[in-house]
Amino acid sequence: MSPRTNAGGKFPLLRKAVPVFAALGDETRLRLIALLCAGSALSIAQLTAGTDITRQAVTKHLQVLSDAGLVRDIRQGRERLWELQASRLDEARRSLDVITEQWDQALLRLKTTLES
């Protein structure tokens, strides 16, 4: 069954992951996620340290990541820290697992067809 004809099943998982993949499609946002994967919440100043990216630009990128559910902000006194929401990355990974399974099945069908 193709993804276009199957309205249920595993494909809603793929649709749900679209905002995550769209957010990760930018090099700066991917770098921010990599920094936040270290586990501790970071301030915008920490996220921009050693780069030529402005705090305003990082704030905009963090908002896109937040909208996709990949990060969240935490107020700590007057400071705003950002942390990774790993569960959304896990959902995206599961979407890739679904795609991998589909490819494996398609390749197996091709192999079977070619060998018969």
Side-chain angles (χ1 to χ4, degrees):
M1 206 175 285
S2 79
R4 288 181 223 117
T5 60
N6 185 355
K10 299 173 186 171
F11 301 108
L13 177 65
L14 297 177
R15 262 191 303 278
K16 188 176 178 185
V18 168
V20 173
F21 290 118
L24 294 175
D26 179 86
E27 183 179 347
T28 300
R29 290 191 290 269
L30 196 54
R31 186 187 69 76
L32 291 170
I33 290 293
L35 289 170
L36 292 170
C37 278
S40 61
L42 299 172
S43 68
I44 290 177
Q46 291 169 311
L47 291 168
T48 57
T51 70
D52 59 352
I53 302 171
T54 66
R55 290 180 184 194
Q56 292 148 330
V58 168
T59 300
K60 288 180 182 181
H61 285 293
L62 287 168
Q63 189 58 55
V64 171
L65 292 169
S66 178
D67 291 346
L70 289 165
V71 299
R72 71 180 182 122
D73 65 320
I74 304 165
R75 296 273 183 203
Q76 188 172 349
R78 293 176 46 181
E79 197 166 39
R80 187 173 171 189
L81 302 177
W82 291 87
E83 70 178 2
L84 179 69
Q85 294 292 104
S87 62
R88 287 293 283 161
L89 283 178
D90 290 339
E91 289 174 16
R93 182 191 45 78
R94 286 192 298 275
S95 296
L96 291 176
D97 290 345
V98 168
I99 293 168
T100 299
E101 180 183 325
Q102 291 172 342
W103 271 102
D104 289 346
Q105 291 172 3
L107 291 173
L108 182 60
R109 285 192 305 272
L110 177 62
K111 178 182 177 189
T112 302
T113 300
L114 292 174
E115 289 178 348
S116 58

